[in-house]
């Protein structure tokens, strides 16, 4: 028998056998369902995270794996990752949670990355890079070509 502090509730082993089996079965079913969901990395059906990572990595002359590695990595890789997160959220409408999962980060880290990129859009070089990447991603389903939330002025 396993013991736990009362603050955390009983462990599965301390529960009656029929309830413990029920909890294990429910957990196993939810894990199996999550693995079988259609879609791309991160579980968002409409956001091709892998294509975004490839495009952004190519723009920064980095391997795509540099955007999903653990740890920050070099500053260039961190900024490239933030741009990829921004594009996934803004161009494809992926949630911060899905973006964070796709890039091996937390949703709050994805939100922070999007804020950082939005603040740096005042720089003409960053803004031009974002527009170029948005146009490159337009054929795979992004809002692209300077229309939608990507541009500050909206559609022409």
């Amino acid at each position: 028998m396993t013991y736990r502090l009362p603050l955390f509730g009983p462990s599965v082993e301390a529960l009656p056998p029929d309830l413990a089996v029920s909890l294990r079965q429910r957990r196993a079913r939810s894990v199996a369902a999550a693995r079988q969901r259609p879609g791309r990395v991160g579980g968002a059906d409409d956001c091709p995270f892998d294509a975004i990572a490839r495009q952004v990595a190519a723009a920064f002359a980095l391997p795509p794996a540099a955007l999903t590695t653990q740890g920050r990595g070099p500053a260039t890789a961190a900024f490239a990752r933030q741009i990829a997160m921004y594009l996934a959220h803004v161009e494809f409408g992926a949630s911060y949670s899905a973006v964070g999962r796709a890039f091996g980060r937390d949703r709050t880290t994805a939100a922070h990355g999007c804020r950082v990129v939005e603040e740096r859009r005042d720089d003409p070089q960053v803004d031009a890079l974002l527009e170029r990447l948005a146009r490159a991603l337009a054929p795979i389903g992004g809002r692209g070509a300077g229309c939608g939330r990507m541009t500050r002025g909206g559609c022409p």
Side-chain angles (χ1 to χ4, degrees), residues 9-155:
S11 69
V12 174
E13 290 80 14
L15 296 174
D18 57 334
L19 183 58
V21 170
S22 172
L23 289 174
R24 285 190 189 110
Q25 289 172 343
R26 202 174 321 155
R27 187 178 304 138
R29 270 184 270 150
S30 67
V31 168
R35 288 182 182 150
Q36 293 176 356
R37 284 189 192 116
R40 296 171 182 88
V41 177
D45 293 337
D46 58 343
C47 187
F49 296 110
D50 51 348
I52 295 169
R54 282 193 307 271
Q55 287 287 334
V56 173
F60 281 85
L62 295 168
L67 303 183
T68 58
T69 58
Q70 289 184 343
R72 293 182 195 160
T76 306
F79 187 57
R81 184 182 315 109
Q82 290 171 337
I83 284 182
M85 288 190 231
Y86 179 83
L87 290 170
H89 178 67
V90 172
E91 279 295 300
F92 291 90
S95 68
Y96 288 136
S97 296
V99 171
R101 280 192 306 271
F103 291 97
R105 302 295 189 272
D106 187 61
R107 65 179 173 77
T108 58
T109 305
H112 171 74
C114 290
R115 280 192 307 273
V116 167
V117 172
E118 186 63 40
E119 289 170 2
R120 292 197 55 187
R121 286 202 68 179
D122 292 334
D123 181 356
Q125 289 179 333
V126 173
D127 199 42
L129 173 66
L130 288 169
E131 290 298 328
R132 196 168 54 246
L133 287 168
R135 280 193 300 276
L137 293 169
I140 59 171
R143 293 183 179 96
C147 187
R149 285 192 287 174
M150 187 66 187
T151 60
R152 293 179 181 198
C155 296

